[in-house]
């Protein structure tokens, strides 16, 4: 249906359209020159959880934007997995859709190494003495640093611990020690599990390295397991890793909540808040949410340190922190927002509006020295601080490992590897495969990388 | 496009009206150009870019950028058990959902074709699932319906001795297929019902006079008459259901494990969780080629069936 002239002309037209598209692409990616303008629009990518959607976003609108009339803050809210994807795409392609990104100890050093983040210490904190970076809890500040400089500052910080229902424990004549072992937890769970009424223990099963693997990794560590040995050879089928994974999967299958393979923090918070869990092992920050959302359950809640087996402590370390991508526009305005949302004054604002027990925990020493906070959060403040101070991401397990990270391995490949293993474990929790099948699949996924690739050499 | 051309080769006749010059002919065609260019820009250029990426090693989570790595992405796709698994699951999900929805659709259509009090209301109610947004339907099923602790399905089944079944964990693939069936049965019903209403009443009357029972009438007259409608429903249903994403993403997120990961979700995860742009592009190219092959065969088969029907009538 064609004659040559037509074809040529069509091609010409298509070619010019393609050229236009290419030009547009160039101009959008090439326009990333940094400006330090301290006004304008600041777009912030955040994770969807109660401390952010319930406090940070409304307070930004009612307080921050009023105090800074030149700055408009827009929020893009994502679940954890989607947030990672959106941010990764944004920084890797330099699209600069976000002026502020919410990241954690996994991303911060990797992004900083790739040159994707603004050095907050030299660019802003050095000339902003009122910020009080020295007040940040040392383990949290260290986790957000690269070569000694901060590349993100914490909005809240957490370790992991055990929550339990004191009334149920008293009824059954059980006593929870402050520093329980996993063997004790299993005994308690067996006694307290009443199918159809309450689960002995609620645990994460949802596939995701920040979801089920976060909890499982702490069990692996305290059972003496590790992801890689010192030569970067994967160790997922080692006896220690396998016994830890079997323990976790059996515990949740026997005494855990039904449908565990779809549950993570938000689902478990709801279940626990409705009295459906005798125990719940999760992030320390859950105490703040229980206190504000479920006061009657909060009154009955007891706290214990993360359970152990072979190590002395086993809590994880995480913080949702704010960073500024390299080359973003309005960096000055972005820092204004970041420093406000992570400041001591922000804590005062939350306290005035929502009460001291609702203040984002785990970032600043001054909060834990504040008598009002000590009073309002006396049930969980001390144990949260003790949990965070007990972590050592450089020595997460019994034996030395070549990587940094407690509930993750701080290498780029872990994003994909962690998810693959998490899916296999979720399959084992759902009963579609055995633990050893799951770990063998994980081991072969880990084996596709060479030690040189993994070590970054 | 190639598929459709294969299906119906254009007749080799001189379409050029007499007395119109070549120049005028192109002027007449000029108004079509924007549409043609638009189609090329939104379909063919992205495909070429995908093709280019499929030969690159490009990970978003490293700062090294993209570089050529030959056929290694394709090698990974063909050797990856994850890709094969999701391909098989895509086929299982589509075939099961389409066939069951069609059987239910025919049954409902036959029932709805009868005259009874409140037929209009019942028809509207039966069609409703198809009008619900797929994302909303998936969320309603994942939460209020199938939740192990608070779900309606467990509550309804409790008198029958079913207790706290975690449908989305223990019967994940079945639950997703159930929602696909629930959503697409009304579509099948509509198409078959349209066919039924076009069935000439006199044939049915003649069968009645000849003493044929309801079952025999259905088997010998109604079903052969409905065949092209059923085939159309199966074809359209397959085209849509092979792409199902909302239900997988929102109900099970492809899990537990990878038990509900179909091809669209696998591709999504390659980009969104593994950040492997090259690998995802290669998997996408392979998927497109497979789809074209299957679609060509399916369309040829249906074309033959339709011609046979026409010849037979």
């Amino acid at each position: 249906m064609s004659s040559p002239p037509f074809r040529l002309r069509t091609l010409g037209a298509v070619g010019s359209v393609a050229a236009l598209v290419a030009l547009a692409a160039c101009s959008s990616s090439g326009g990333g020159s940094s400006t330090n303008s301290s006004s304008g629009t600041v777009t912030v990518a955040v994770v969807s959880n109660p401390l952010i959607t319930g406090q940070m976003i409304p307070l930004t609108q009612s307080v921050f934007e009023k105090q800074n009339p030149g700055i408009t803050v827009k929020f893009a809210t994502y679940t954890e997995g989607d947030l990672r994807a959106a941010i990764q795409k944004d920084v890797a392609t330099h699209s600069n859709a976000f002026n502020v990104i919410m990241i954690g100890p996994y991303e911060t050093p990797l992004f900083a190494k790739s040159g994707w983040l603004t050095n907050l210490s030299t660019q802003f904190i050095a000339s902003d003495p009122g910020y009080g970076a020295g007040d940040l809890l040392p383990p949290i500040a260290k986790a957000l640093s690269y070569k000694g400089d901060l590349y993100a500052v914490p909005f809240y910080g957490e370790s992991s611990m055990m929550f339990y229902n004191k009334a149920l424990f008293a009824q059954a004549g059980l006593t929870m020690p402050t520093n329980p072992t996993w063997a004790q937890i299993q005994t308690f769970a067996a006694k307290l599990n009443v199918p159809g009424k309450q689960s002995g223990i609620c645990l994460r099963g949802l596939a995701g390295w920040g979801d089920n693997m976060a909890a499982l990794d702490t069990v692996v560590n305290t059972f003496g397991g590790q992801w890689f040995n010192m030569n970067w050879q994967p160790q997922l089928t080692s006896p220690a890793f396998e016994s830890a994974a079997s323990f976790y999967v059996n515990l949740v299958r026997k005494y855990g909540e039904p449908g565990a393979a779809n549950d993570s923090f938000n689902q478990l918070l709801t279940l626990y808040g409705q009295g459906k869990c005798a125990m719940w092992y999760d992030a320390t920050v859950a105490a703040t949410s229980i206190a504000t959302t479920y006061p009657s359950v909060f009154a009955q809640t007891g706290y214990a340190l993360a359970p152990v087996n072979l190590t002395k402590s086993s809590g994880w370390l995480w913080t949702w922190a704010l960073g500024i991508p390299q080359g973003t526009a309005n960096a000055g305005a972005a820092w204004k927002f970041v420093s406000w949302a992570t400041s001591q004054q922000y804590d005062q604002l939350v306290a005035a509006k929502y009460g001291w027990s609702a203040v984002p925990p785990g970032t600043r020493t001054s909060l834990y020295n504040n008598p009002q906070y000590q009073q309002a959060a006396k049930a969980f403040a001390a144990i949260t601080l003790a949990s965070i101070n007990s972590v050592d991401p450089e020595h997460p397990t019994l034996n030395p490992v070549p990587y940094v990270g407690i509930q993750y391995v701080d290498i780029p490949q872990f994003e994909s590897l962690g998810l693959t293993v998490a899916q296999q474990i979720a399959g084992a929790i759902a009963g579609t495969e055995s633990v050893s099948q799951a770990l063998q699949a994980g081991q072969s996924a880990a084996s596709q990388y060479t030690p040189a690739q993994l070590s970054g050499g | 496009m190639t598929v459709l051309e294969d299906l119906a080769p254009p007749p080799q006749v001189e379409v050029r009206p007499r007395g119109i010059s070549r120049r005028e002919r192109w002027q007449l065609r000029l108004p079509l150009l924007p549409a043609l260019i638009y189609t090329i820009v939104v379909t063919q250029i992205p495909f070429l870019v995908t093709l280019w990426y499929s030969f690159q090693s490009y990970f978003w989570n490293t700062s090294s950028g993209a570089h050529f790595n030959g056929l290694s992405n394709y090698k990974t796709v063909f050797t990856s058990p994850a890709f094969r698994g999701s391909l098989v699951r895509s086929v299982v999900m589509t075939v099961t959902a389409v066939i069951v929805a069609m059987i239910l659709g025919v049954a409902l259509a036959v029932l709805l074709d009868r005259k009874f009090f409140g037929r209009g209301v019942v028809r509207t109610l039966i069609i409703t699932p198809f009008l619900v947004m797929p994302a909303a339907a998936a969320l309603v099923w994942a939460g209020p319906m199938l939740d192990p602790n608070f779900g309606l399905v467990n509550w309804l089944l409790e008198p029958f001795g079913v207790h706290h079944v975690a449908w989305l964990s223990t019967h994940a693939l079945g639950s997703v297929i159930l929602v696909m069936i629930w959503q697409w049965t009304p579509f099948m019903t509509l198409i078959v019902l349209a066919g039924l209403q076009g069935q000439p009443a006199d044939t049915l009357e003649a069968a009645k006079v000849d003493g044929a029972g309801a079952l025999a009438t259905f088997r010998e007259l109604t079903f052969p008459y409905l065949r092209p409608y059923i085939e159309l429903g199966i074809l359209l249903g397959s085209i849509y259901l092979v792409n199902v994403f909302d239900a997988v993403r929102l109900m099970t997120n492809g899990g537990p494990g990878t038990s509900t990961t179909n091809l669209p979700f696998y591709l999504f995860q390659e980009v969104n969780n593994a950040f492997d742009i090259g690998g995802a592009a290669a998997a996408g190219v392979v998927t497109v080629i497979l789809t074209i092959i299957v679609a060509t065969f399916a369309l040829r088969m249906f074309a033959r069936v339709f011609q046979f029907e026409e010849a037979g009538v």
Side-chain angles (χ1 to χ4, degrees), chain A residues 142-186:
Chain A
K142 197 176 171 196
L144 297 174
S145 298
Y146 175 70
K147 293 191 173 164
D149 285 340
L150 281 166
Y151 281 79
V153 284
F155 177 66
Y156 73 79
E158 63 181 33
S159 181
S160 54
M161 65 180 172
M162 188 63 80
F163 303 84
Y164 65 97
N165 186 318
K166 286 192 284 194
L168 289 175
F169 268 68
Q171 263 172 37
L174 300 171
T175 317
M176 173 75 90
T178 322
N179 204 347
T181 64
W182 276 112
Q184 287 172 318
I185 296 295
Q186 190 178 29

Side-chain angles (χ1 to χ4, degrees), chain A residues 112-163:
Chain A
K113 193 179 169 195
S114 295
W116 290 334
L117 285 175
T118 305
N119 183 332
L120 298 181
S121 288
T122 56
Q123 291 262 354
F124 299 107
I125 295 173
S127 53
D128 191 353
Y131 181 68
D135 184 31
L136 299 175
L137 294 177
I140 299 278
K142 197 176 171 196
L144 297 174
S145 298
Y146 175 70
K147 293 191 173 164
D149 285 340
L150 281 166
Y151 281 79
V153 284
F155 177 66
Y156 73 79
E158 63 181 33
S159 181
S160 54
M161 65 180 172
M162 188 63 80
F163 303 84

